[in-house]
Amino acid sequence: MTTLALPAGRAARIGRSVRRADPVLLAAATVCSLLVLLAVLGPLLAPYPPSQTDLLAASQGPSAEHLLGTDSLGRDILSRLMNGARLSFMGPGLIVVLSLTLGTGLGIVAAWRGGIVDSALSKVFNVVFALPGILVAIVAGAVFGGGFWAPVLALSLVYTPYVARVVRSAAVTERRMAYVEACELADMPAWRICTHHILRNLLPIVLAQATISFGSALMDFGAASFLGVGIQPPQAEWGLMVSEGQADLLDGAMAQTLSAGLMILISVVAFNTLGERLGSRAGGRR
Amino acid sequence: MSLAVTPCRPRRKASLIAVAIALTVTASACSGNSGDSSQKSPGEKRELVSTAEAAKGKVDQVTWNLTSGEPDTLDPPNAATYGGGQVVMNLCDTLVRYDADYNMSPGLADYKQVSPTKLVYTLRGNAHFWDGKPVTAEDVVYSLERAKANSIVSSFFASVKSIKATGAKEVTVEFSTPDEKFNTEMTDIAGVVVEKAFTEKAGKDFGTASGGLMCSGPFKLDKWKSGDSITMSRNDSYWDPKRLPLAKNVKFTFVTDTTALTKALDTGEIDGAYELPPTAIQALEKSAAGRLYFGPSTQSVALSVANKGVLTEDPKLAAALQRVIDREALAEAVYRGGGDALYTTVTPRTWPTDQTAAYQKAYQEFEKSRSYDLAAAKKLVDASGYKGQDLVLAYGAGDPTASRIVQLVQQQAKQAGINIKLQSMGALAFQQAGYDAGKRKGIDLMFGSSFNSVSDPLEPALFSYLPGSPYNYTGYSDATTGKLLGEAVATFDGAKRAQLIIEAQRRWEAANLTVPLVATHTVTFLNKRLAGAVTSFAYWSTPNMAFIGSAS
C-alpha cells in the first residue's frame, strides 16, 4: 500500500487555512455560485419554454409533468423560474457594473483632486442620496416606458453615490500613503497613479461593495417589475412572477408567488452575506 | 490594512424587505392549498340572473363598494364612469327608466312620440327636488340643453333641433331628422334632470365633493368625503312609492385592491359590490358571508385596430386574427365563467329584447366564421401579404386580467405565424390613447373594455363606424354602412330597424376593425343579510340601492 504524505509545512498551512475559513462566507459563496450557474444554464435546462401557455393545464398543482405546477395561463412555473433567473440577475448585474464604474471613477477623482471638486461632488451625491431608488425607477418607467433599460439606467444612477462615497473615503486614505508620494516624485502622471496603483489597492473594497449592491439591486429591479415599470409580460423575471401570481393568491394558488419570492429572498440574503463577509476581510496590497 | 465597508441604505432596506418577504411567504404557505377549486365545472355556463331574491324588509345601513374607485364627478351628463353613473342613478331621476331586464317605462315624465320628429314629455305632478321645490319643465329643458351643449353624451343630441317648455309640466323635443334612439338614451345619464337654480349657483363645483348636486331621486346626497366615501340617505318624500328605498343610509366606499375588497366582503365589513374582477370569483364563491351573482350585461372586452396600417390594408391577415383566438377557452380560463365568448362588436345583451331572434340568427354567422380554427388561420396568413413584422398590441398596465388576455392572444397568434409585440401603457397614457390619435401612434391593436348604457346596437355602432365618430380609430368610411345606420336611426319599427342594423353589421364586421373577445357578465356580491339587488348591468341605469333591503 502506498501512502501519500504532504510535506509538513504545506499541510500545516492548509490546516490553518481551513481552521481560519469562514463557514458563513463559504456557504454564501456556494449559494451565490449556484444562483449564477442557474442564471447561465437555467434557460437551457428548463423543461418547457417559459411563455408556452396551455389553458387546459392552467392553475395546476405540482405534478410529474410540472414539478412546481402551472400558473393561470398554464405555463410551467419551474421553467419560468429557471428562465427568470437570467433577467433577474442580468438587470442587477448591469446596475452594479454601471454604478461601480461611475461611482469608482467619481470617488477617486473626488479623493485625488480634493477641495472644491470633492466638495461639489459630495453635494451632488447628497442630492442623489435623497432620491428613493424605486421612485426614480417608477418615474423612468413612466417616462420612457416599462422594460429592461429604464429601471437599469435609473437604478444605476441612484446606486452610484453609494459606491462613490465608499471608494472616496478609502481613496482619501490611499492618497496620503507613501507609495503615492513616491510615484508623484517619480513624475508618474496622476491618471496612471490612480488607475495602476490606487484603484488596484481599492479593488477588494470595490468588489465587496459590488456584491452588497447586487443584492440591493436585485431587490429594487424586481420591485420595478413587480410594480409594472420594469420587465414586461410575457417575459419571465422573478419580480414580475411575484406580481403575476398575486392575483391567484385569493384562490389559494400561491406556487408562483411563493417560489419567485423565495428565489429573491435567497439571492438577496446570499449576496448580502457574501458582500459583508468579503468587506470585513477586504485589505489592500501595495 | 483592512477597510470596513460602510453600511449603506440599500443594504439595510434590502434586508428589511427580505425579512418582509420571508414573513409573507411563511404566512402564505400556512393560509391555504394551491390548485383550482372552482365551484363551477369547466365549460359549464353560469346561470345569469337579473335580480337577487326580493327584499323582505327595511335596513338601516348598506355599505357598498365602487370597485372602479372614487368617481371623478357626479355631474350627471359627465358621470359616465362605472362608479359615477352608479351613484348618480341613486340620487337623480331620468325622464325614462329601465328595470332590471331593460324594459323601458316612463320615469320622471310620460312620453309620447307625436311624430317622427317630435317627442313630448309630460312631467309627473308630484315630483320634487330634495329641497322641496317641484320639478318643472324649465328644469328639464335646462338639464337637456346642458347635456347637449357640453358633456360626454352630447352626441346623443346630434339630431335635436329644439328643446322647449311647451307647458308648466310639458317639454317638447323636435328633431331635424327622425331619431328613434333619443328616447331610449333618456334612460341613462343623458336623461337626468337637475335643479336649474342650484346648478347655476354651484357653477363649476356642481357635481364635485364641495359643490354637491340637487336632484329628485330616491336618495339624498349627504356627504362626499374625498378619498374616503360617499354617503346618502333615503329621500322619504320620494314621489314613487314603488322605488322608495328600503335602506335608510347607504355608504359607498372606494376599495380598488382586489385582495382587500375580497376580504372586506368576506368578513362583512362591506355588504356588496358590482363588477368584481375574475380573480375574486373563486374566493367569493366560497364565502359564507354572502352570495355571488352573475348577471346579463352589455359589457365586453375586445381588441380594436388602432390605426390604419397592415391590418386595414391586408384583410386576410385581419381575418386570420379573428380565427386564431380561442375565445371559449379565454372566457373560461381568464374570466372563470364570468363571461362568454363574443364574436361581434355588439354584445348579445345589447340587442333589443323584442328582436333577439333576428339578431341571434345574424350572430350565428359570425360565431361560425370566426370560431377558433388554427388551420384556417394559418391558411389566411399564408395567403396574406404578411411578412412576419410585429403587430404592437397595447394594454393598460396594472390590470392582471388584461395582462393575461393579451399574453394568451400573443401566444395563440404566434401559432398561426402572427407576431404580436405587447406594449403596456400607464393608466393615463392608455386612457388618452382612447381618444387621442397622437397617443396611439405606432400601435396596431388596443385591448379595451366597454359597455353600452342602453340595449340598442345603434349606440356602439354610431360611436365606432361613422366617419369622425370618437372610436373610429382607422377612419373607416363606408357609404352604405352610413346610409343603413342613418335609416336605422330614423326607423321606429323595431323589426325593420333590426334588419337595417344587421345589414350594416355585416358590412362593418367585414372590415375586421374589432376583434371581439369576451362578453363579460356583471359579477355582484351581496351579503346574506341583504336581498333585492339588481344583478344585471341595468344597475347602471336604475336606482340600484333603492331595491336593496333586509333578506329576512
Side-chain angles (χ1 to χ4, degrees):
Chain A
M1 193 172 88
T2 311
T3 305
L4 290 174
L6 287 169
R10 194 177 163 197
R13 277 202 306 279
I14 291 175
R16 275 199 303 276
S17 164
V18 169
R19 277 197 301 276
R20 277 190 320 201
D22 181 349
V24 177
L25 173 65
L26 281 177
T30 307
V31 173
C32 289
S33 306
L34 288 174
L35 287 167
V36 172
L37 211 60
L38 178 68
V40 175
L41 300 177
L44 304 173
L45 301 175
Y48 298 94
S51 300
Q52 182 181 305
T53 55
D54 180 3
L55 291 180
L56 295 175
S59 301
Q60 287 188 350
S63 64
E65 288 82 29
H66 304 283
L67 292 178
L68 289 178
T70 59
D71 67 8
S72 58
L73 300 181
R75 297 176 297 196
D76 182 60
I77 292 174
L78 177 64
S79 299
R80 289 184 65 73
L81 213 58
M82 293 172 81
N83 275 273
R86 184 168 285 186
L87 271 179
S88 301
F89 279 24
M90 199 187 284
L94 263 173
I95 292 166
V96 168
V97 168
L98 289 172
S99 61
L100 274 188
T101 308
L102 201 60
T104 306
L106 290 172
I108 291 177
V109 166
W112 184 265
R113 298 297 296 270
I116 193 167
V117 174
D118 189 17
S119 173
L121 282 173
S122 293
K123 283 188 170 58
V124 173
F125 295 158
N126 285 339
V127 170
V128 183
F129 272 133
L131 302 172
I134 194 62
L135 186 65
V136 178
I138 289 171
V139 172
V143 174
F144 303 110
F148 180 78
W149 287 106
V152 163
L153 295 176
L155 290 171
S156 299
L157 184 74
V158 173
Y159 275 63
T160 296
Y162 292 99
V163 180
R165 181 174 275 188
V166 172
V167 169
R168 180 203 160 274
S169 64
V172 163
T173 311
E174 293 293 313
R175 176 80 175 87
R176 298 190 195 114
M177 302 292 279
Y179 76 94
V180 175
E181 199 178 337
C183 289
E184 286 182 301
L185 286 172
D187 276 343
M188 194 180 280
W191 67 269
R192 195 178 166 85
I193 301 173
C194 289
T195 53
H196 282 63
H197 297 280
I198 294 182
L199 177 60
R200 198 172 161 190
N201 285 321
L202 292 178
L203 272 182
I205 193 174
V206 168
L207 287 178
Q209 182 64 34
T211 318
I212 289 175
S213 294
F214 187 85
S216 308
L218 194 142
M219 179 64 79
D220 282 344
F221 186 73
S225 300
F226 177 87
L227 294 172
V229 293
I231 300 297
Q232 298 295 309
Q235 286 182 297
E237 192 270 343
W238 294 343
L240 181 64
M241 286 179 72
V242 173
S243 168
E244 288 187 322
Q246 204 184 10
D248 300 324
L249 290 178
L250 282 171
D251 300 339
M254 48 189 69
Q256 183 172 205
T257 299
L258 188 77
S259 55
L262 265 176
M263 290 308 289
I264 295 174
L265 170 69
I266 292 167
S267 304
V268 171
V269 170
F271 279 98
N272 272 355
T273 308
L274 182 66
E276 281 177 23
R277 296 286 167 158
L278 282 178
S280 65
R281 294 164 72 101
R285 283 184 309 144
R286 49 190 67 82
Chain B
M1 194 179 88
S2 170
L3 291 169
V5 179
T6 315
C8 59
R9 196 176 52 172
R11 191 185 67 189
R12 288 202 299 272
K13 185 174 70 178
S15 303
L16 283 173
I17 298 173
V19 170
I21 284 188
L23 290 172
T24 307
V25 160
T26 311
S28 301
C30 300
S31 66
N33 302 317
S34 67
D36 187 358
S37 59
S38 171
Q39 294 184 349
K40 181 186 79 70
S41 308
E44 183 193 337
K45 296 267 184 191
R46 298 277 187 189
E47 184 200 350
L48 302 184
V49 291
S50 300
T51 52
E53 303 77 11
K56 291 178 180 163
K58 293 183 175 180
V59 287
D60 280 340
Q61 175 77 37
V62 172
T63 304
W64 199 268
N65 190 64
L66 302 178
T67 312
S68 61
E70 184 172 4
D72 52 353
T73 180
L74 292 182
D75 181 7
N78 287 307
T81 58
Y82 280 99
Q86 188 193 334
V87 175
V88 162
M89 284 300 174
N90 287 290
L91 300 169
C92 304
D93 280 319
T94 49
L95 289 174
V96 187
R97 60 167 51 159
Y98 268 142
D99 67 9
D101 292 308
Y102 286 97
N103 296 310
M104 229 167 79
S105 63
L108 203 52
D110 217 338
Y111 54 87
K112 190 176 181 187
Q113 191 78 45
V114 178
S115 75
T117 55
K118 195 175 191 179
L119 186 59
V120 175
Y121 291 103
T122 307
L123 286 168
R124 295 175 187 278
N126 56 344
H128 290 78
F129 291 110
W130 304 327
D131 59 6
K133 292 178 186 169
V135 179
T136 66
E138 195 184 353
D139 293 312
V140 176
V141 172
Y142 174 77
S143 301
L144 297 188
E145 287 288 5
R146 192 167 172 271
K148 180 189 173 192
N150 185 23
S151 77
I152 288 172
V153 291
S154 298
S155 63
F156 296 164
F157 296 80
S159 56
V160 172
K161 193 165 79 180
S162 67
I163 304 166
K164 286 179 184 158
T166 45
K169 292 284 177 185
E170 188 182 278
V171 173
T172 301
V173 183
E174 291 198 69
F175 302 89
S176 50
T177 52
D179 189 344
E180 169 277 331
K181 67 178 195 48
F182 180 84
N183 197 40
T184 314
E185 296 292 1
M186 291 301 104
T187 56
D188 63 28
I189 52 173
V192 164
V193 178
V194 296
E195 189 187 287
K196 181 183 175 185
F198 181 94
T199 309
E200 283 182 336
K201 194 178 171 190
K204 284 182 179 174
D205 287 339
F206 184 73
T208 65
S210 58
L213 71 168
M214 182 57 66
C215 283
S216 59
F219 284 98
K220 293 188 280 189
L221 178 64
D222 287 340
K223 194 171 185 184
W224 179 354
K225 199 174 168 189
S226 197
D228 181 71
S229 61
I230 292 173
T231 49
M232 57 188 197
S233 56
R234 183 168 55 217
N235 176 10
D236 286 314
S237 54
Y238 188 54
W239 57 270
D240 185 359
K242 285 180 190 165
R243 289 195 173 187
L244 191 64
L246 294 166
K248 193 176 176 189
N249 297 294
V250 173
K251 179 181 179 184
F252 287 108
T253 54
F254 314 136
V255 181
T256 53
D257 180 78
T258 303
T259 308
L261 175 58
T262 304
K263 293 294 175 197
L265 290 168
D266 195 32
T267 56
E269 187 187 341
I270 293 176
D271 292 313
Y274 286 118
E275 309 306 347
L276 290 159
T279 46
I281 289 178
Q282 280 191 14
L284 288 175
E285 272 188 322
K286 289 183 275 187
S287 174
R291 189 185 154 185
L292 205 58
Y293 295 87
F294 295 85
S297 162
T298 61
Q299 300 170 93
S300 63
V301 293
L303 306 180
S304 302
V305 178
N307 282 297
K308 272 186 183 172
V310 63
L311 285 166
T312 53
E313 288 156 13
D314 196 336
K316 284 181 179 160
L317 178 64
L321 205 54
Q322 298 280 8
R323 297 228 74 166
V324 78
I325 297 169
D326 188 347
R327 295 166 171 88
E328 302 279 350
L330 202 136
E332 181 64 33
V334 179
Y335 284 91
R336 300 168 191 206
D340 292 329
L342 178 67
Y343 295 92
T344 58
T345 308
V346 177
T347 61
R349 195 59 202 85
T350 309
W351 305 335
T353 44
D354 58 342
Q355 300 299 327
T356 303
Y359 282 104
Q360 178 69 45
K361 195 177 165 196
Y363 183 77
Q364 281 164 348
E365 291 172 25
F366 295 102
E367 203 170 5
K368 196 175 166 191
S369 64
R370 289 178 170 177
S371 60
Y372 177 63
D373 188 335
L374 185 57
K378 279 180 177 170
K379 272 187 191 173
L380 284 164
V381 173
D382 291 342
S384 73
Y386 179 63
K387 293 187 172 58
Q389 64 269 42
D390 282 342
L391 300 180
V392 177
L393 166 54
Y395 67 103
D399 178 353
T401 305
S403 172
R404 286 176 180 184
I405 288 180
V406 295
Q407 287 185 69
L408 283 174
V409 167
Q410 183 190 41
Q411 284 297 307
Q412 294 185 341
K414 196 176 172 185
Q415 292 173 352
I418 302 171
N419 296 319
I420 287 183
K421 184 183 171 191
L422 301 182
Q423 181 179 319
S424 74
M425 297 173 77
L428 182 61
F430 187 67
Q431 196 184 347
Q432 288 172 336
Y435 53 83
D436 184 346
K439 304 281 181 192
R440 290 197 299 273
K441 209 172 176 185
I443 296 171
D444 296 296
L445 290 160
M446 278 182 74
F447 171 82
S449 60
S450 62
F451 65 80
N452 303 310
S453 57
V454 296
S455 59
D456 186 344
L458 281 173
E459 186 178 285
L462 297 179
F463 269 128
S464 306
Y465 298 112
L466 290 181
S469 53
Y471 301 122
N472 184 355
Y473 295 155
T474 59
Y476 173 74
S477 176
D478 177 59
T480 310
T481 305
K483 184 171 171 283
L484 288 165
L485 289 176
E487 283 177 28
V489 171
T491 302
F492 288 82
D493 181 287
K496 282 182 187 167
R497 191 170 62 252
Q499 288 311 316
L500 289 164
I501 294 171
I502 287 167
E503 190 49 40
Q505 178 179 254
R506 281 199 188 97
R507 295 190 70 85
W508 82 59
E509 292 292 356
N512 287 313
L513 300 177
T514 304
V515 183
L517 299 173
V518 177
T520 51
H521 306 321
T522 286
V523 184
T524 309
F525 185 84
L526 186 64
N527 190 284
K528 64 184 176 188
R529 77 180 179 92
L530 301 172
V534 174
T535 54
S536 70
F537 189 67
Y539 79 84
W540 200 79
S541 310
T542 56
N544 43 79
M545 291 296 115
F547 308 111
I548 295 178
S550 169
S552 57

